[in-house]
Amino acid sequence: MSVTAVSDHRTAPSDQQELVRRLAAPDDAEVAGLDAWWRANNYLTIGQIYLQGNPLLREPLTNEHIKPRLLGHWGTSPGLSFIYAHVSRLIKQTGQQTIYLAGPGHGGPALVAAGYLEGTYSEVYPKVSLDESGLLQLFRQFSSPGGIPSHVSVTTPGSIHEGGELGYVLVHAFGAVMDNPDLLTIAVVGDGEAETGPLEGSWKGVSFINPEHDGAVLPILHLNGAKIAGPTVLARKDPAEVRKLFEGHGYEVLEVGGEDLPGMHHRFAAVLAEAWGKIKGIQDAARNGTWDGTRPRWPMIIMRTPKGWTGPDKIDGITVTGTWRSHQVPLSGVKGNEDHLRELEKWLRSYRPEELFDATGAPVGLIRDVAPPGDLRMSASPHANGGLLTRDLDLPDFRDYAIDVKKPAEGRAESTRKLGEMMRDIYSRNPDSFRLFCPDETNSNRLGAVFEVSDRGFMESVTADDVKISNKGRVMEVLSEHNCHGWLEGYNLTGRHGMFATYEAFAMVSASQTVQHGKWLQEASHLPWRAKVPSLNILLTSTAWRNDHNGFSHQGPGLIQVVLNQRGTVARVYLPPDANTLLSVADHCFRSKSYVNLIVIDKQPQLQWLDMDQAIEHCAKGAGIWEWAGTDDGNSDPDIVLACAGDVVTMETVAAAQILAKKLPQLKVRVVNVVNLMTLPRSKDHPHGMSETMFRELFTDHVDVVFSFHGYPGAIHQLVHGRPDADRFRVRGFIEEGTTTTPFDMTVRNRASRYHLVIDAINNARRLPSGATELKAWCESQLAKHEQYVVEHLEDMPEVRDWSLGDWAEH
């Protein structure tokens, strides 16, 4: 899709009141155009659900014209298209840059129809032309094999929000306007969606939007009374209670409702104009120096219309419009039921299609004139195809933050603290296109260096005891994974960069959002008109292996498994073992486009293994042999391969290799570290998959492999499926054994300690030198000693707690 420059139609404050008055009072000609556009949209919506022929009713409707399967959602659609028509009028008269997010994503046919009437749909899909044949294609493709989904999906021009999984419209809307001062996001919240936990928790977005450097969100709560099979809570509450609820959230509530026409057009135009005027007043005050810095009371609209508005009032004597029965396909049994067929035709003809489409099947001028010009059309806005607006980050050289590692495992450092320093400078270099989103854990996760250049963003009151909190801050902390994740998604999809950092276990709170975003990126990759967007970067720290004080509730590496199950074209999982590999990985992720990048590393002081040059080489390959850690001479196959992926398990693996080297020096041990988990699958299964040759160079094709893994053991078995003799991989990982305990005891409980790995090596090696039985007994005695010691002393044994390679690198 070609994109022209967005016109700047800013209005001087002195003219704004007059413009609002004009918007609030459409004349008869404007109302006629709005109503014609809306009728055309409703007609196209119904046509998509029902028709496979006779798209303009040029002949009486017959069974042959009806699709064999009737799929779709009618109930919310007329309300969505009604709002869309009026917002289009506002844009045309004001030049306001606007995108439209449909919370009730199952109103997909209405938004597809809107893009078609604006002409955008035909621009990106030329086969769906603005004539009768294109109209037929529009109808036939909907919810059909080889066609498009029923939701406002990635295939819908103008969409950054599918709404298939309910609850995220507001978080996406708020993320979209951060550092986007000229953008208005219309966020339509369905009253069924309003019952979800994520949506209930996302109204607080107004507590984080600064009108000086952010755009505005206009939430429109569309109460049509019902969800799929019954009433909704907010629709049945006393309107006064609903108003108080949202006033308590900090909104100025504007209400409008009814079904009478043209009265509803006049009333909605007035309330929309009022809302826009209030938004512009707030922004003008913030940007001309007259704002006092307190949180504005942003407007929101509550719109009440009947569910299935303008549809059949009754079917077979049973009320449909205004009830849950209109939610999906009101006339579901059309084929073979002559009465229903005639009712459908009556319904379609009630919109007077002969007035809406010309002889060729194209929308008439009255309808075309409703659309704003060019990129101001909501279906054509570059903000909804954010890759078109993306600027590459101005990144500092990550090498500048390197830890000096002269020998492996001589020193310890908090690896994520170095990443925090790097992000501090990314903030400075990119003041309007980079943000960190974190649930109140930025300092806890050792990323606090960002506070040297930015406060936490917060629009509520600030006290003298608050630290690094102000209304100008751009580090986003709110104790909600859903908000942080969703804000970053909206930020990414409109062309900006960032990172979502959270405790590992609680990434599962928003795991479904990760899945949905991955699906979006996967489908977008098939659409040439969708420009690539900045990747969704997720950092998991406070990991399962080191949540010593929090205990079992905080111990879970499940998001790794979730991302592994996504398609290889979007899924990336990195397990850097130290600071320098973390910096290299982060630099790569910040430069990447249209991926879900998952980075997992703990925040606690940990041994540092590689200098920066080694780290860069290691990360570029994704995996490699650590020759200094093993006793493999490289001239022949080892007796056993010890592999690892993850920081804590890497330490245990290298410690196990040291024990074997000291006590069984004749045993040839190879140590392999994996930093990019996606190198393990075959190259035909994942783009990062290593070649068969490299896989054999690392793991051989017949030697047993003891693989120590940060996550659930089954993940490694899944990844090496199809590799030579995959059954030779013995995997140790997290097996849901946890409690409030010491760091080493976590590895013992999950049978992934150095002593367990030594025993595994003995049990699976190709040959066993003399002394193997004695070593196995010694490991068992060490485990027994640990069990007694940790209970008595409340900490790990000194030989474990203070372990390092020492002079082992010179061995």
Side-chain angles (χ1 to χ4, degrees):
M1 180 172 60
S2 63
V3 176
T4 56
V6 176
S7 302
D8 187 353
H9 291 263
R10 296 180 190 176
T11 305
S14 58
D15 299 329
Q16 196 162 287
Q17 289 185 340
E18 177 57 33
L19 181 53
V20 170
R21 282 195 292 270
R22 190 164 71 247
L23 286 168
D27 60 29
D28 291 346
E30 288 181 297
V31 170
L34 287 168
D35 194 67
W37 192 97
W38 183 46
R39 284 187 286 123
N41 191 290
N42 287 336
Y43 181 86
L44 296 180
T45 297
I46 301 160
Q48 289 177 78
I49 295 171
Y50 286 96
L51 300 184
Q52 64 174 353
N54 193 16
L56 288 169
L57 298 185
R58 307 240 193 239
E59 56 184 285
L61 206 57
T62 67
N63 285 330
E64 288 69 31
H65 300 144
I66 307 301
K67 291 181 177 181
R69 297 190 311 154
L70 300 180
L71 303 169
H73 296 77
W74 162 247
T76 191
S77 292
L80 289 174
S81 57
F82 183 87
I83 295 168
Y84 199 104
H86 280 266
V87 175
S88 293
R89 172 177 172 263
L90 182 146
I91 296 168
K92 189 171 183 179
Q93 294 199 24
T94 66
Q96 175 69 58
Q97 297 179 42
T98 309
I99 58 174
Y100 186 105
L101 304 189
H106 43 251
L111 273 294
V112 169
Y116 182 78
L117 291 175
E118 289 187 324
T120 313
Y121 208 89
S122 300
E123 292 169 13
V124 298
Y125 303 114
K127 290 184 178 179
V128 187
S129 48
L130 285 167
D131 53 27
E132 187 168 1
S133 64
L135 201 56
L136 182 59
Q137 176 66 24
L138 182 78
F139 289 176
R140 288 179 61 87
Q141 70 176 10
F142 180 77
S143 282
S144 298
I148 62 172
S150 65
H151 287 83
V152 188
S153 73
V154 65
T155 62
T156 308
S159 174
I160 66 164
H161 172 86
E162 175 161 319
E165 181 170 290
L166 298 179
Y168 309 126
V169 68
L170 280 180
V171 290
H172 290 158
F174 282 117
V177 302
M178 291 176 184
D179 297 321
N180 216 347
D182 296 328
L183 182 66
L184 171 65
T185 298
I186 303 294
V188 183
V189 180
D191 51 351
E193 178 186 32
E195 296 181 359
T196 65
L199 197 288
E200 285 272 21
S202 60
W203 292 102
K204 67 176 69 69
V206 288
S207 297
F208 299 88
I209 295 298
N210 182 312
E212 188 175 3
H213 56 68
D214 297 328
V217 174
L218 177 59
I220 300 179
L221 176 61
H222 181 206
L223 295 179
N224 59 30
K227 46 186 182 281
I228 193 168
T232 58
V233 174
L234 290 180
R236 293 291 176 92
K237 279 185 175 292
D238 185 313
E241 287 186 343
V242 177
R243 172 183 282 273
K244 290 176 183 176
L245 173 66
F246 293 108
E247 288 176 342
H249 280 301
Y251 293 90
E252 180 171 357
V253 180
L254 309 177
E255 297 184 71
V256 62
E259 58 182 303
D260 58 304
L261 298 169
M264 190 57 183
H265 283 298
H266 287 283
R267 292 194 297 277
F268 189 80
V271 80
L272 182 62
E274 183 180 2
W276 182 80
K278 290 180 182 297
I279 288 169
K280 295 303 290 183
I282 291 168
Q283 292 177 336
D284 288 346
R287 296 169 192 180
N288 65 19
T290 60
W291 175 45
D292 63 4
T294 59
R295 174 183 55 77
R297 186 164 287 273
W298 295 95
M300 68 167 289
I301 295 173
I302 299 177
M303 183 177 92
R304 292 180 172 85
T305 62
K307 196 173 185 74
W309 189 16
T310 73
D313 182 46
K314 292 185 177 182
I315 298 173
D316 298 330
I318 299 173
T319 301
V320 173
T321 296
T323 76
W324 56 269
R325 296 182 181 89
S326 67
H327 182 82
Q328 290 177 296
V329 182
L331 285 158
S332 57
V334 176
K335 282 200 173 198
N337 186 323
E338 187 65 23
D339 289 342
H340 283 193
L341 184 65
R342 298 280 70 83
E343 185 67 32
L344 174 60
E345 183 171 5
K346 178 183 175 183
W347 180 16
L348 284 163
R349 291 191 185 280
S350 71
Y351 300 108
R352 307 191 297 280
E354 67 279 2
E355 299 177 5
L356 308 175
F357 304 94
D358 65 20
T360 70
V364 299
L366 181 65
I367 292 170
R368 294 197 304 271
D369 287 346
V370 172
D375 294 345
L376 287 175
R377 294 171 295 173
M378 288 185 284
S379 60
S381 172
H383 294 284
N385 193 0
L388 298 172
L389 302 176
T390 299
R391 304 191 310 270
D392 290 341
L393 283 174
D394 176 10
L395 291 172
D397 189 338
F398 66 94
R399 298 168 185 83
D400 293 342
Y401 310 92
I403 286 181
D404 186 17
V405 179
K406 291 184 170 59
K407 294 180 181 179
E410 276 198 337
R412 296 175 185 267
E414 296 167 326
S415 297
T416 55
R417 196 173 294 280
K418 304 305 292 185
L419 177 60
E421 294 172 12
M422 179 180 172
M423 287 198 291
R424 171 198 63 204
D425 296 338
I426 296 175
Y427 260 101
S428 295
R429 289 167 173 252
N430 304 270
D432 61 353
S433 58
F434 179 83
R435 290 202 186 196
L436 171 65
F437 300 83
C438 187
D440 192 31
E441 297 153 358
T442 301
N443 275 327
S444 173
N445 287 329
R446 313 299 192 262
L447 302 173
V450 295
F451 294 129
E452 296 173 24
V453 296
S454 174
D455 292 342
R456 298 170 178 88
F458 196 55
M459 294 302 300
E460 300 295 344
S461 60
V462 176
T463 72
D465 294 324
D466 292 328
V467 177
K468 303 303 293 186
I469 298 175
S470 74
N471 59 24
K472 295 185 182 299
R474 293 174 54 252
V475 177
M476 308 310 295
E477 284 195 345
V478 60
L479 198 51
S480 164
E481 286 78 11
H482 286 124
N483 276 270
C484 290
H485 196 301
W487 288 349
L488 177 55
E489 287 178 347
Y491 202 69
N492 285 159
L493 289 168
T494 48
R496 281 77 52 69
H497 308 256
M499 176 171 278
F500 166 47
T502 188
Y503 286 9
E504 182 179 43
F506 300 120
M508 293 304 291
V509 172
S510 56
S512 189
Q513 288 178 277
T514 308
V515 171
Q516 292 296 317
H517 191 77
K519 290 177 183 289
W520 179 278
L521 295 176
Q522 171 68 28
E523 290 305 300
S525 69
H526 302 311
L527 300 171
W529 58 271
R530 282 276 184 193
K532 288 184 177 294
V533 295
S535 294
L536 177 71
N537 299 312
I538 303 174
L539 174 69
L540 303 187
T541 185
S542 298
T543 64
W545 299 97
R546 291 301 310 270
N547 249 298
D548 322 330
H549 63 292
N550 284 312
F552 197 35
S553 65
H554 285 56
Q555 295 162 349
L559 194 67
I560 292 176
Q561 200 78 38
V562 169
V563 175
L564 287 182
N565 288 333
Q566 297 197 283
R567 294 291 295 273
T569 51
V570 301
R572 304 287 184 267
V573 180
Y574 300 97
L575 294 158
D578 65 2
N580 290 337
T581 51
L582 172 62
L583 291 167
S584 180
V585 164
D587 179 78
H588 171 77
C589 292
F590 287 139
R591 294 179 189 277
S592 69
K593 301 284 179 64
S594 291
Y595 295 142
V596 173
N597 291 318
L598 178 62
I599 306 171
V600 186
I601 186 170
D602 197 67
K603 67 184 183 182
Q604 300 292 350
Q606 54 189 199
L607 291 168
Q608 301 297 305
W609 306 101
L610 305 178
D611 67 29
M612 182 53 79
D613 289 340
Q614 293 169 333
I616 292 170
E617 181 181 2
H618 186 49
C619 292
K621 293 178 179 177
I625 297 171
W626 282 4
E627 295 175 357
W628 47 266
T631 54
D632 176 23
D633 58 17
N635 297 320
S636 59
D637 287 338
D639 297 314
I640 193 74
V641 176
L642 298 183
C644 49
D647 47 11
V648 169
V649 293
T650 291
M651 179 176 66
E652 294 305 302
T653 297
V654 176
Q658 185 191 49
I659 292 169
L660 289 166
K662 286 183 175 180
K663 295 183 176 293
L664 290 181
Q666 301 90 346
L667 189 72
K668 292 193 295 184
V669 178
R670 176 179 295 175
V671 175
V672 175
N673 179 265
V674 178
V675 63
N676 179 355
L677 206 57
M678 312 316 287
T679 59
L680 292 176
R682 299 171 296 182
S683 54
K684 68 180 182 179
D685 296 328
H686 194 283
H688 283 193
M690 69 179 76
S691 68
E692 288 295 327
T693 300
M694 182 177 175
F695 192 87
R696 285 186 167 91
E697 287 176 353
L698 296 183
F699 300 105
T700 80
D701 57 7
H702 62 284
V703 174
D704 277 24
V705 180
V706 177
F707 202 119
S708 189
F709 177 51
H710 177 94
Y712 295 113
I716 300 300
H717 293 296
Q718 173 185 337
L719 291 169
V720 300
H721 173 75
R723 291 296 193 178
D725 191 13
D727 287 345
R728 64 196 166 97
F729 281 74
R730 310 281 190 269
V731 186
R732 294 292 185 180
F734 187 76
I735 54 174
E736 289 295 340
E737 292 290 342
T739 185
T740 301
T741 189
T742 66
F744 184 66
D745 193 53
M746 277 296 296
T747 68
V748 172
R749 287 172 176 270
N750 287 277
R751 304 184 62 80
S753 75
R754 61 197 65 182
Y755 303 122
H756 288 96
L757 298 179
V758 169
I759 292 171
D760 279 352
I762 292 170
N763 288 341
N764 293 283
R766 289 193 306 161
R767 64 181 183 88
L768 286 179
S770 175
T773 300
E774 291 80 3
L775 177 55
K776 185 176 179 180
W778 178 81
C779 287
E780 290 169 346
S781 70
Q782 285 294 99
L783 289 169
K785 176 184 174 182
H786 157 78
E787 186 175 355
Q788 293 178 345
Y789 187 95
V790 74
V791 172
E792 180 179 352
H793 296 277
L794 308 183
E795 62 179 348
D796 288 320
M797 300 182 297
E799 61 264 40
V800 170
R801 186 180 69 244
D802 302 325
W803 177 87
S804 69
L805 276 180
D807 63 352
W808 179 242
E810 299 175 359
H811 174 78

